[in-house]
Amino acid sequence: MRADRLIMMTLLLQTEGRLTAKELAKRLEVSERTIYRDIDALSAAGIPVYAEPGNGGGISLPPEYRTRADDLTSSEVQALFVQHASQTMEQLGIGSSFRSGLLKIMNALPTRHKVDAEWIRDRVFLDTEAWRPRDPQVDFLQLVQQAVWEQRAALLVYQSKDGALFEARVEPHGLVAKGGIWFMVASVGAEVGESEVNRRMLPFRLTRIQSFTLLEERFDRQTEFDLVQFWRKWVERFQSTYFMPEG
């Protein structure tokens, strides 16, 4: 819907600063011509968006411009306050921060939107944890998280699905929790000794990590790496390999 796209464009410009029409078109999955029409629509609505032509130019908002809590729609408020299991955030150590952040948003909402928030919290609960959690204790989660946060390389000993052990130098780029199971996504160093996996980005199930040693060495995170995109493609390949289609 166009209204949703206009909101997304405003939030992108607000959080990321100046973006080109090409960048916005890619992010919003529309043509550049559509982006320019949307800019006209935002301007007509009173949002101070402007475009600068030429090299170094782009589309931006004034630095002081901020959307307000009362600009949120009812459906956006309801989406924010859907209740869900918080075990994943607790494991990351950010459960209390998440709850306090939602509380601050709630306090900033106009009265009419507080009703929407309470309404959805009383009616929908998303339990994203597995029915029978197989990873009740992830020994190396905090160390892996530190490696991701600080962009530090590490040495690990890993047990593959068939039980074989191997050592590797890894550069952790992200963490993924799927159905209560944690994975580290990391690029694999040359020490693995297998040329076909060198410098590849691979997922590692945390409960199969036998040891994990942080190194003092820092690495430059691959700027083009998109964690969500990588994970979706990997899951698609995994499912096509190990799950037979119905029919």
Side-chain angles (χ1 to χ4, degrees):
M1 293 179 62
R2 190 186 189 196
D4 292 337
R5 189 174 68 247
L6 294 177
I7 293 171
M8 281 299 301
M9 181 186 293
T10 303
L11 293 175
L12 282 172
L13 293 174
Q14 181 177 302
T15 56
E16 301 192 21
R18 182 181 290 112
L19 294 170
T20 65
K22 183 177 181 179
E23 289 169 331
L24 283 169
K26 182 179 180 181
R27 299 283 289 274
L28 299 173
E29 300 181 344
V30 295
S31 68
E32 290 184 43
R33 180 177 297 180
T34 298
I35 292 298
Y36 286 114
R37 286 200 297 264
D38 287 349
I39 291 172
D40 291 338
L42 289 172
S43 296
I47 296 176
V49 60
Y50 58 93
E52 296 181 12
N55 292 333
I59 301 160
S60 60
L61 291 165
E64 69 277 4
Y65 180 81
R66 291 290 180 271
T67 53
R68 301 170 302 174
D70 54 5
D71 290 333
L72 293 169
T73 66
S74 294
S75 58
E76 289 168 343
V77 171
Q78 291 174 4
L80 281 173
F81 285 92
V82 168
Q83 291 206 70
H84 55 83
S86 58
Q87 178 183 345
T88 299
M89 292 185 183
E90 296 293 345
Q91 289 174 328
L92 283 173
I94 58 174
S96 61
S97 297
F98 177 75
R99 290 189 294 273
S100 65
L102 280 183
L103 182 59
K104 290 177 182 177
I105 294 174
M106 173 74 87
N107 290 335
L109 290 174
T111 302
R112 68 181 188 279
H113 283 334
K114 288 181 181 179
V115 174
D116 293 327
E118 293 294 345
W119 188 93
I120 197 69
R121 290 177 67 177
D122 287 342
R123 288 164 173 79
V124 180
F125 176 72
L126 302 182
D127 186 354
T128 57
E129 308 302 334
W131 188 261
R132 293 179 179 176
R134 290 175 288 177
D135 294 349
Q137 180 64 44
V138 181
D139 294 332
F140 298 105
L141 178 58
Q142 296 301 321
L143 273 179
V144 173
Q145 181 183 348
Q146 183 179 352
V148 172
W149 271 211
E150 298 178 1
Q151 295 182 203
R152 288 172 61 180
L155 294 176
L156 65 73
V157 176
Y158 190 76
Q159 184 176 44
S160 63
K161 190 174 182 180
D162 61 8
L165 295 176
F166 69 88
E167 294 179 294
R169 174 192 173 279
V170 295
E171 296 179 350
H173 276 55
L175 277 164
V176 176
K178 182 170 179 63
I181 300 174
W182 281 100
F183 293 83
M184 171 186 69
V185 178
S187 60
V188 182
E191 287 81 358
V192 175
E194 301 179 29
S195 59
E196 68 271 15
V197 299
N198 285 349
R199 294 175 298 280
R200 284 183 57 196
M201 198 71 71
L202 298 171
F204 296 86
R205 183 165 167 167
L206 263 61
T207 51
R208 291 190 183 141
I209 295 176
Q210 305 301 300
S211 70
F212 189 87
T213 305
L214 280 175
L215 302 177
E216 292 301 320
E217 177 188 356
R218 308 286 175 132
F219 65 89
D220 293 326
R221 194 175 190 276
Q222 298 179 19
T223 55
E224 71 279 6
F225 176 69
D226 185 314
L227 179 62
V228 175
Q229 185 179 53
F230 167 86
W231 182 256
R232 286 174 175 168
K233 288 183 178 179
W234 182 83
V235 168
E236 184 179 348
R237 290 196 301 270
F238 179 83
Q239 291 177 333
S240 66
T241 302
Y242 294 101
F243 294 95
M244 296 293 293
E246 296 181 359

